[in-house]
Amino acid sequence: MIFMSMHIHPSWLTALSSEFTSKYWEELTTFLKDAYATTPCFPPAPAIFRAFDLTPFDRVKVVILGQDPYHTPGAAMGLAFSVPNGSKSQPSLRNILKELESDLGIKRAETDLTDWAEQGVLLLNSVLTVRSGEAASHTDKGWEQFTDGVIHQLSEDREHIIFVLWGSYAAGKIPLIDTTKHIIIISSHPSPFSSYRGFFGSKPFSQTNEVLKQWGYSEIKWG
């Protein structure tokens, strides 16, 4: 484990046991211990695995994939795209909430997406940590191997999961997903640089709920 204060649901410890005992995990652990001891990093250490604590392995219904945490103070909270209520909103999240309103008519004021996670939406970043003020500063340290393992394990061991992939980086994970068992919803990224190239109007929220309904599952309450 990385930190004594790490919080993660026991179901993930079982599902990902081979990851937690691998050589790369040992190296990643060493890197993170040093990084958090010597430089400001986000999210706070106890929140690194918050997505895995709130959304148990056997309850994942939807995966929304991000890239790495927000690198500004007070933003990253261990859930992809989510920021604490009352903190400064982030451009990608603002566009996500705009699309939610356009798609389902839901005008959501809360920027904390904990309620989504608690309903089975795994808000997964490909890289789970970042150095303050330096986007993508913890890439190629082992996180990608870990989260690829997460996606692969969900694809192999579970059925009927919806993978929501925004942007080319997320789309690169398609080979990890068995599309005979799972559904992929794909569009451009909600970033202001790409949102007008296919994210707006993509209706990911209504699409997700329609598939869940067809499978006989409860729909996500996005509001």
Side-chain angles (χ1 to χ4, degrees):
M1 295 300 143
I2 296 172
F3 300 103
M4 294 300 293
S5 57
M6 185 180 77
H7 301 289
I8 184 169
H9 192 275
S11 61
W12 288 104
L13 298 178
T14 301
L16 302 175
S17 58
S18 62
E19 306 296 331
F20 291 125
T21 55
S22 66
K23 178 64 175 177
Y24 86 83
W25 183 261
E26 181 181 342
E27 294 170 351
L28 175 60
T29 297
T30 299
F31 165 75
L32 289 172
K33 284 180 177 177
D34 180 67
Y36 271 76
T38 58
T39 58
C41 295
F42 306 125
I48 292 174
F49 287 92
R50 190 157 184 260
F52 298 90
D53 193 37
L54 293 174
T55 313
F57 180 82
D58 57 351
R59 297 182 189 175
V60 176
K61 295 158 70 172
V62 182
V63 177
I64 296 180
L65 186 65
Q67 194 160 348
D68 69 335
Y70 301 122
H71 56 84
T72 52
M77 55 182 296
L79 303 174
F81 299 107
S82 179
V83 299
N85 291 330
S87 63
K88 183 179 180 182
S89 184
Q90 301 290 322
S92 291
L93 179 57
R94 286 198 295 270
N95 285 340
I96 290 169
L97 298 185
K98 283 180 183 178
E99 177 60 18
L100 175 61
E101 183 175 7
S102 172
D103 185 4
L104 292 176
I106 296 171
K107 188 173 180 62
R108 181 184 173 101
E110 296 84 1
T111 58
D112 182 337
L113 305 180
T114 294
D115 57 306
W116 293 5
E118 291 174 337
Q119 295 177 76
V121 181
L122 182 65
L123 296 166
L124 178 67
N125 277 318
S126 182
V127 175
L128 300 189
T129 59
V130 70
R131 187 182 305 121
S132 178
E134 298 182 43
S137 50
H138 287 184
T139 59
D140 300 323
K141 304 297 184 183
W143 277 131
E144 296 91 339
Q145 188 169 345
F146 174 73
T147 52
D148 281 1
V150 170
I151 296 169
H152 174 75
Q153 209 64 39
L154 285 168
S155 178
E156 286 291 301
D157 292 355
R158 295 284 315 282
E159 294 185 353
H160 294 165
I161 293 175
I162 301 165
F163 290 84
V164 180
L165 307 179
W166 291 330
S168 57
Y169 182 88
K173 307 300 182 181
I174 290 175
L176 300 171
I177 302 167
D178 183 347
T179 54
T180 67
K181 299 195 297 180
H182 308 288
I183 293 291
I184 294 173
I185 295 174
I186 190 168
S187 75
S188 64
H189 196 275
S191 161
F193 300 107
S194 58
S195 56
Y196 289 93
R197 297 202 297 267
F199 175 74
F200 288 131
S202 62
K203 301 185 180 299
F205 307 102
S206 60
Q207 283 194 70
T208 294
N209 277 353
E210 182 58 34
V211 172
L212 291 174
K213 188 165 58 175
Q214 290 173 9
W215 286 340
Y217 296 162
S218 59
E219 299 176 39
I220 303 299
K221 297 178 181 177
W222 300 105

